[in-house]
Amino acid sequence: MNRSILSNLPALFSQRSVIKAALWSLAYAGICTFLLTYFSGAAGESPVWIPAGIGLGVLLTLGCRYWPFIFLAAVAGEMGGGHTVLMATQLAFGSVCGFLVAAVILTRFTIFNPRLESIGDYMRLLSASAIAALISASLNIQFLIWGGLMPLDNIGSVYQKWLTGDYFGMAFVAPVLLILNGKWPSSWTRKKTIYLCLLLFAAFALGQAVFFGWFREYVDLTGRGYSFLFIMACTGLFFGRQGAMLLLTLLLMQSIFGAFYGDGFFASNLMSRAAPTMLWFYLGLLSMLGLLVSLVVESFSLKNARLQTAVEIARESEEHFRQIVSSTPVLIATYDLSTEKTDFVNPHFTAVLGYVVEDFLAPNSWWPIAYPDPIYRQEIEEEWHKRAAKSQSSQTPFEPLQTSTRCKDGSIRTIKWGCFLVADRMVIHGVDITEEKRAAEVLNITSAVYRAMGEAVVIQDVNNSILMVNEAFQALTGFNFAELEGQSFADFLVKRHGARSYSDIFTTLEAMGRWEGQAWIRMKDGGEVLRFVSIYSTFNEEGAPLQRVALLSEVTDQRKARELINQQANFDPLTGLPNRRLMFDRLEQLIKQSIRSDKSIAIAYIDLDNFKDINDSRGHDFGDQLLKGISARLRSEVRQTDTVARIGGDEFVILLGDLERPEIADTIIREVSGKLADPILIDGQLVYITASMGISMFPNDGSDGKALLLGADQAMYAAKSHGRNTYQYFTQSLQINASYRAGVISDLRDALEKNQFELYYQPIINMKTGQIAHAEALLRWRRANGEIALPSAFIHIAEESGLIVEIGDWVWKEAIAFLGGLKLPPHFTLAINVAASQFNSSQHSAASWLEVLKQHRVAPEYVSLEITERMMLNQSHRVMRKIAMLQESGCKFSVDDFGTGYSSLASLKSFNFDYIKIDADFIKPLTPDSQDAALVFAMISMAKGLGLESIAEGVETEEQAQILSTMSCTYAQGYLYSKPLPAQEFEALLAKQSAANS
């Protein structure tokens, strides 16, 4: 049990509150000892008992559970004043009982705010203090009598002083603790705080003169103590409760210490010299005056603030109501019954009819303005007053009255009017039904036309539910109208004789508003009949569909030809999916629908990964079958209302419309991506294929179809760059990258036209002789601003854009022309880099390269083509054929950056290479006995075993060269020997070597 009590102590007593209670207890004990020593009678009575205010203030601010702190402080203070332990404990008990009674009365039996924010709070404190003082004084006097410390002949005087002292402390000192312990007003400015400090400083100086007799040699102010009543009133007026209590604290200390010295306003007997006034009465009067003035001022300020808030709320409510009335799509006007004038019309009233309130300044001017025909006006007026009287007498809503109302511009609109009464005003409201009435009239006319037509006609709503059929349709199907009403037209479409899924009908209707084609129609007797179906939509002014009309007619040769033309113009002939043209039409319609419905659209751009390799290796027929299978799979994974289109060879687009939230698209995209990765059976073979997808969202990523498709395309390329078989959403950074790529592509085209490319040549050294044995041609781009760009900054963009073919042809011609003008040493070769995308392009011609060699009379043996390990993996027929042609002519080949890719020994053997180039990443960290040294040695040994010569790239130090020489590496290339040189400098270097050898 003791453990349980101890464990609950932190919850009952917070560290901060305990510190406060301890400090106030020390103050209690110290002040108690001081007053008992210097300002009390024989029995310890004092008319100014400040500790009582401290005790009650602590219990009200921290809680009654802190009474032990006050009790111990009271015992210590009484003992300090000369009482025995027993008597001190008894007197402390009496005092604490009074404090607890006052605290309980205020906190449990009254509505009391400890911050004293109202006069009522202060009055309740004064009342509770009186009760508490009576209790504590009575108990302590009794304890003194029992202890023999109270002469019975003096009991009345002592009791009066004791009661006065306790009441003074609780009623006038406790407010100081309560108010200064609370939050200070947040509205106080720094300027106001400075003014308060200046006031307190001036009050201190004046108090020293009044209560201590300072400056008496100049002016005697010891009789001017009552001047502080005016100062206290001003402080409460301008600085509120906090300022008044700070001033009271200052005067309390000055007056008591001044009485102690006895040279000022108060003598040592606590009586004023100027007039017979007790110190406790003087301080109590100051406290009450300061609090009452500040509370009255604060109460007035609070009421004024609340009034201003109420006025502001009323103003905001009125403004809010006006905004509602102004924005509501209903005609609203108010009619003053006393003046018979229309005194308000809302903006929609003006927008529809054209009238403003100034048009109705004369009484009852509405009727002749809106209804100029006197006979029609009389009919409307009589009917209006009749319905208004009926509504008022029966307390039922006004029965709406439909009228043909004349607008300000002279046109006539059909308005359905209503009204209700509010005080002395009639609120009139109307709905413009002109278009609805016109549509109903048109529907009646068209219905009559459709009924008279010989072809079958079906009228449906936007949900494809049948609203009306003509007699020809009933005769065709055998159903009567009662059996057809409310059914879906789709229920009568039958899949037969290899017909496509009719889901495309409704997708096209949603996107374009029309559809034409052949369809099998179900009849009541179970039979089926083929008809040519034309479905058209009618739209309102906002572009939203109202109804759909289907016409069913005989299938004629002309209609078959018309359907074929439509099919060829809008659908992909291989897969039957919508083509690019139809996809854009549907996308634009989806955008319009999305704007009306405030919903999102997702555009997914799909590109099959490595489809070209499958097409090249297995044939176009196999590729066509794969595309059909992919189309069917995509169609099965989306909703019936979504569009799947084929817009290119292996490129598809999915349009996902009517999305309540953009996140819904993510679920569908994940399912599509996962389904595409599943194997697909083609001609008895399981084929695995993946796709890269890019997604853009309307309206976030673009406002039209072209922008959205471009964003999805950019996102798709980002997905490919992240490893393929994934999907990527469009972001602004992709747009920035795309803009950068477009800029680089444009600059590359300019560079080709303006001859901004240059070739630099880096020697390749024979490690045995130290002589230049070969060289590598390296591309540089000298941009318009003079900056020289390395291939790493632009080659990947050139490959993606296809410009690599033109750039590669330029490099080949430039390098061969340079070779043709050199006096070459024996067995010299010039290495030229080749990208995989060059040989894989149909625009590249190996035969034209051989023709360039003939033109410049350069033997193919002087050329070494460097291909990467990635290119070795791309063993398409086109690439292999070009490599074989060049090898047969005598060109040499080397593997560039060997060790960084995924080449195999079989690939090295099948490609019949002459050199391998060990990547610089293995050479840079090369040190004796290191793991890199072991790897390099293994590569060199493998090259020797395969009959290949090895070339080490990136040699920069003598130590690296020495290690490579020890490993029997054939050639080395790097800055240790020479940096890449312009053509003239390399030619000079080569000539210098030839001269030295001769």
Side-chain angles (χ1 to χ4, degrees):
M1 183 175 179
N2 291 335
R3 287 183 179 179
S4 176
I5 293 173
L6 291 174
S7 64
N8 289 330
L9 284 178
L12 293 173
F13 301 96
S14 67
Q15 182 179 3
R16 185 176 179 182
S17 297
V18 167
I19 292 173
K20 282 186 177 182
L23 292 175
W24 281 117
S25 298
L26 291 174
Y28 185 109
I31 296 172
C32 180
T33 300
F34 174 76
L35 292 176
L36 287 175
T37 303
Y38 299 106
F39 295 103
S40 65
E45 74 279 6
S46 173
V48 181
W49 194 243
I50 297 173
I54 296 175
L56 180 58
V58 168
L59 297 186
L60 287 176
T61 55
L62 302 180
C64 293
R65 60 185 176 278
Y66 285 89
W67 68 265
F69 289 87
I70 301 303
F71 178 78
L72 293 175
V75 171
E78 296 290 347
M79 291 176 61
H83 289 294
T84 63
V85 175
L86 177 60
M87 180 54 64
T89 302
Q90 289 175 328
L91 294 175
F93 173 77
S95 298
V96 171
C97 283
F99 305 155
L100 285 171
V101 168
V104 169
I105 290 173
L106 291 171
T107 57
R108 298 197 179 180
F109 297 101
T110 64
I111 300 174
F112 177 71
N113 186 344
R115 292 190 293 271
L116 298 181
E117 293 181 345
S118 68
I119 296 176
D121 292 329
Y122 187 45
M123 292 298 108
R124 283 184 279 274
L125 176 64
L126 294 179
S127 302
S129 299
I131 297 172
L134 187 63
I135 293 173
S136 62
S138 300
L139 288 174
N140 287 337
I141 292 298
Q142 188 62 53
F143 290 145
L144 289 172
I145 293 173
W146 289 343
L149 300 177
M150 170 63 69
L152 295 178
D153 57 346
N154 200 26
I155 189 171
S157 174
V158 173
Y159 184 83
Q160 180 185 0
K161 288 184 179 181
W162 203 292
L163 177 65
T164 301
D166 282 351
Y167 182 73
F168 169 83
M170 287 186 276
F172 305 122
V173 177
V176 175
L177 272 71
L178 296 176
I179 292 172
L180 298 183
N181 184 67
K183 292 183 178 179
W184 284 61
S186 58
S187 60
W188 275 32
T189 62
R190 183 180 179 184
K191 184 177 181 181
K192 187 171 183 177
T193 304
I194 293 173
Y195 283 161
L196 176 60
C197 293
L198 293 175
L199 172 67
L200 293 176
F201 179 77
F204 171 78
L206 180 60
Q208 293 298 103
V210 171
F211 299 115
F212 289 88
W214 285 16
F215 318 119
R216 187 175 291 172
E217 59 272 22
Y218 304 107
V219 58
D220 185 4
L221 298 177
T222 55
R224 303 293 183 180
Y226 292 105
S227 60
F228 279 109
L229 293 175
F230 174 74
I231 296 174
M232 178 61 76
C234 292
T235 304
L237 178 64
F238 293 106
F239 299 102
R241 293 167 293 135
Q242 290 78 12
M245 291 302 99
L246 281 175
L247 179 59
L248 178 65
T249 303
L250 177 64
L251 296 178
L252 178 65
M253 292 186 294
Q254 285 183 310
S255 59
I256 290 177
F257 282 108
F260 175 75
Y261 290 106
D263 291 334
F265 185 68
F266 287 105
S268 58
N269 63 353
L270 303 183
M271 291 289 292
S272 63
R273 289 192 169 88
T277 303
M278 289 293 293
L279 176 62
W280 67 267
F281 179 80
Y282 174 80
L283 292 174
L285 185 60
L286 285 174
S287 174
M288 185 175 293
L289 178 63
L291 276 175
L292 289 177
V293 169
S294 61
L295 289 174
V296 168
V297 172
E298 288 181 15
S299 176
F300 177 77
S301 300
L302 181 61
K303 288 179 181 179
N304 188 48
R306 288 174 178 173
L307 180 60
Q308 289 181 348
T309 303
V311 170
E312 187 63 30
I313 291 173
R315 185 182 296 111
E316 290 178 358
S317 299
E318 181 181 358
E319 183 62 28
H320 186 56
F321 175 75
R322 287 186 176 274
Q323 290 177 358
I324 293 174
V325 172
S326 298
S327 59
T328 185
V330 176
L331 289 78
I332 297 178
T334 58
Y335 178 75
D336 191 328
L337 296 175
S338 59
T339 62
E340 297 183 339
K341 291 181 181 180
T342 302
D343 55 6
F344 170 79
V345 296
N346 72 337
H348 190 69
F349 188 102
T350 303
V352 173
L353 299 179
Y355 299 116
V356 294
V357 71
E358 286 77 11
D359 294 324
F360 310 116
L361 296 178
N364 286 317
S365 54
W366 161 253
W367 297 108
I369 291 175
Y371 309 104
D373 183 1
I375 298 176
Y376 183 65
R377 179 170 69 245
Q378 183 178 358
E379 292 176 0
I380 296 301
E381 272 196 84
E382 290 177 356
E383 186 63 26
W384 178 271
H385 294 308
K386 177 182 175 183
R387 297 189 184 194
K390 179 181 177 182
S391 172
Q392 192 170 5
S393 62
S394 61
Q395 296 297 309
T396 57
F398 183 90
E399 182 183 351
L401 177 61
Q402 181 177 309
T403 70
S404 297
T405 307
R406 181 180 182 275
C407 301
K408 194 170 184 177
D409 61 5
S411 61
I412 302 296
R413 302 200 68 83
T414 304
I415 311 294
K416 184 181 287 186
W417 296 103
C419 73
F420 57 89
L421 296 176
V422 178
D424 61 343
R425 271 173 172 67
M426 177 183 289
V427 179
I428 303 166
H429 53 86
V431 178
D432 184 6
I433 60 171
T434 307
E435 299 305 323
E436 288 84 344
K437 186 178 180 182
R438 187 175 301 161
E441 291 173 353
V442 171
L443 180 61
N444 291 334
I445 296 172
T446 53
S447 297
V449 174
Y450 293 148
R451 289 191 185 95
M453 289 179 63
E455 294 182 333
V457 178
V458 180
I459 300 178
Q460 316 155 67
D461 61 16
V462 290
N463 299 316
N464 300 312
S465 297
I466 295 175
L467 298 175
M468 191 208 80
V469 297
N470 65 353
E471 293 179 358
F473 184 85
Q474 297 179 53
L476 173 67
T477 60
F479 293 99
N480 59 45
F481 180 69
E483 295 170 320
L484 296 171
E485 188 177 14
Q487 292 194 45
S488 173
F489 180 65
D491 297 337
F492 296 91
L493 300 177
V494 182
K495 285 186 66 176
R496 185 181 172 189
H497 304 301
R500 294 196 321 273
S501 169
Y502 292 127
S503 62
D504 186 60
I505 295 177
F506 305 105
T507 305
T508 305
L509 284 173
E510 287 293 328
M512 302 182 64
R514 64 185 185 278
W515 182 88
E516 288 185 345
Q518 296 181 46
W520 289 90
I521 307 299
R522 177 173 61 87
M523 296 187 292
K524 186 174 182 179
D525 60 7
E528 299 163 3
V529 61
L530 181 64
R531 286 291 183 269
F532 187 84
V533 180
S534 300
I535 305 178
Y536 302 92
S537 302
T538 60
F539 301 92
N540 61 14
E541 291 181 352
E542 286 76 28
L546 292 174
Q547 297 163 342
R548 307 193 195 281
V549 180
L551 281 74
L552 287 67
S553 54
E554 294 284 346
V555 179
T556 63
D557 291 341
Q558 183 180 5
R559 286 194 172 119
K560 287 181 181 179
R562 182 169 148 194
E563 183 183 11
L564 179 60
I565 293 171
N566 179 68
Q567 181 73 20
Q568 291 174 343
N570 295 295
F571 293 90
D572 173 48
L574 176 64
T575 62
L577 295 176
N579 59 14
R580 177 182 287 267
R581 176 180 176 278
L582 182 56
M583 183 275 297
F584 265 115
D585 281 347
R586 292 187 178 181
L587 180 54
E588 292 300 333
Q589 291 298 324
L590 277 176
I591 290 172
K592 292 177 182 177
Q593 293 176 16
S594 178
I595 292 172
R596 289 194 303 268
S597 61
D598 196 26
K599 294 182 180 179
S600 298
I601 305 171
I603 297 89
Y605 198 116
I606 303 172
D607 185 89
L608 302 182
D609 298 329
N610 303 314
F611 176 76
K612 184 175 177 53
D613 297 340
I614 295 175
N615 224 13
D616 290 343
S617 61
R618 302 196 184 187
H620 290 284
D621 291 340
F622 190 92
D624 289 346
Q625 293 300 317
L626 179 59
L627 289 174
K628 288 181 181 179
I630 294 295
S631 301
R633 183 167 290 180
L634 289 174
R635 182 70 261 178
S636 67
E637 288 303 308
V638 298
R639 302 167 299 176
Q640 189 178 27
T641 55
D642 297 329
T643 293
V644 178
R646 182 186 177 212
I647 63 171
D650 61 346
E651 295 176 334
F652 298 84
V653 169
I654 298 177
L655 305 180
L656 305 175
D658 200 31
L659 302 175
E660 293 288 348
R661 303 182 312 279
E663 309 88 70
I664 296 175
D666 195 64
T667 304
I668 301 174
I669 296 299
R670 280 203 307 269
E671 292 176 356
V672 170
S673 181
K675 195 68 176 178
L676 283 176
D678 292 342
I680 186 169
L681 187 64
I682 306 292
D683 294 339
Q685 302 179 49
L686 278 178
V687 181
Y688 291 86
I689 191 160
T690 59
S692 299
M693 301 171 57
I695 303 99
S696 62
M697 302 294 299
F698 176 85
N700 297 340
D701 302 330
S703 58
D704 58 66
K706 290 184 179 179
L708 291 167
L709 194 66
L710 178 62
D713 186 29
Q714 293 169 1
M716 182 271 292
Y717 276 106
K720 281 191 177 295
S721 68
H722 282 82
R724 305 173 186 263
N725 190 23
T726 185
Y727 61 90
Q728 177 85 35
Y729 282 89
F730 174 80
T731 62
Q732 198 59 40
S733 62
L734 294 179
Q735 178 64 42
I736 295 172
N737 292 337
S739 299
Y740 171 75
R741 288 178 66 255
V744 172
I745 291 170
S746 177
D747 291 346
L748 287 174
R749 294 189 189 279
D750 288 344
L752 284 168
E753 293 178 4
K754 298 176 181 178
N755 201 28
Q756 293 178 351
F757 290 117
E758 300 176 7
L759 286 182
Y760 278 50
Y761 301 89
Q762 187 172 30
I764 299 175
I765 306 301
N766 187 313
M767 299 204 70
K768 289 183 179 179
T769 65
Q771 299 287 311
I772 299 174
H774 309 288
E776 180 179 2
L778 299 170
L779 181 63
R780 298 292 185 265
W781 176 14
R782 188 178 297 277
R783 308 193 70 163
N785 59 5
E787 173 193 351
I788 295 180
L790 299 179
S792 58
F794 60 87
I795 280 296
H796 65 287
I797 297 178
E799 289 192 52
E800 292 174 0
S801 65
L803 283 174
I804 190 65
V805 176
E806 295 180 54
I807 295 174
D809 288 344
W810 181 90
V811 170
W812 176 263
K813 293 175 183 177
E814 187 74 11
I816 299 306
F818 178 69
L819 270 177
L822 290 179
K823 184 178 180 182
L824 300 174
H827 310 296
F828 180 87
T829 60
L830 179 63
I832 300 174
N833 290 279
V834 179
S837 53
Q838 279 178 268
F839 278 16
N840 208 23
S841 171
S842 59
Q843 304 297 319
H844 174 265
S845 171
S848 66
W849 279 20
L850 295 175
E851 187 64 31
V852 172
L853 288 172
K854 290 180 182 180
Q855 290 175 3
H856 294 279
R857 299 179 181 181
V858 174
E861 291 79 8
Y862 284 106
V863 178
S864 175
L865 296 173
E866 292 191 2
I867 65 175
T868 61
E869 293 183 78
R870 175 188 167 198
M871 189 170 174
M872 293 165 57
L873 298 176
N874 188 359
Q875 298 186 23
S876 68
H877 295 309
R878 180 181 289 128
V879 173
M880 298 299 293
R881 188 167 59 250
K882 291 178 181 179
I883 290 176
M885 182 183 297
L886 292 168
Q887 282 184 329
E888 288 172 5
S889 70
C891 291
K892 298 178 180 180
F893 279 81
S894 62
V895 187
D896 196 13
D897 301 331
F898 185 75
T900 61
Y902 304 95
S903 58
S904 63
L905 294 177
S907 298
L908 290 173
K909 183 178 179 182
S910 62
F911 273 85
N912 194 22
F913 287 107
D914 299 280
Y915 309 97
I916 65 169
K917 297 191 74 172
I918 303 171
D919 190 76
D921 288 341
F922 296 103
I923 305 301
K924 287 179 181 178
L926 192 62
T927 55
D929 302 323
S930 66
Q931 185 178 10
D932 295 285
L935 287 171
V936 172
F937 180 71
M939 293 180 198
I940 295 171
S941 300
M942 180 188 67
K944 285 183 179 179
L946 294 173
L948 309 178
E949 293 183 315
S950 53
I951 303 173
E953 294 182 295
V955 180
E956 297 181 352
T957 65
E958 290 290 350
E959 182 183 30
Q960 293 169 350
Q962 183 62 38
I963 294 171
L964 290 168
S965 180
T966 305
M967 294 178 179
S968 300
C969 181
T970 316
Y971 303 104
Q973 174 184 356
Y975 275 67
L976 176 63
Y977 307 107
S978 174
K979 65 179 181 178
L981 302 171
Q984 292 181 350
E985 293 183 23
F986 178 77
E987 187 175 357
L989 181 65
L990 202 60
K992 181 180 179 181
Q993 177 177 294
S994 298
N997 291 336
S998 61

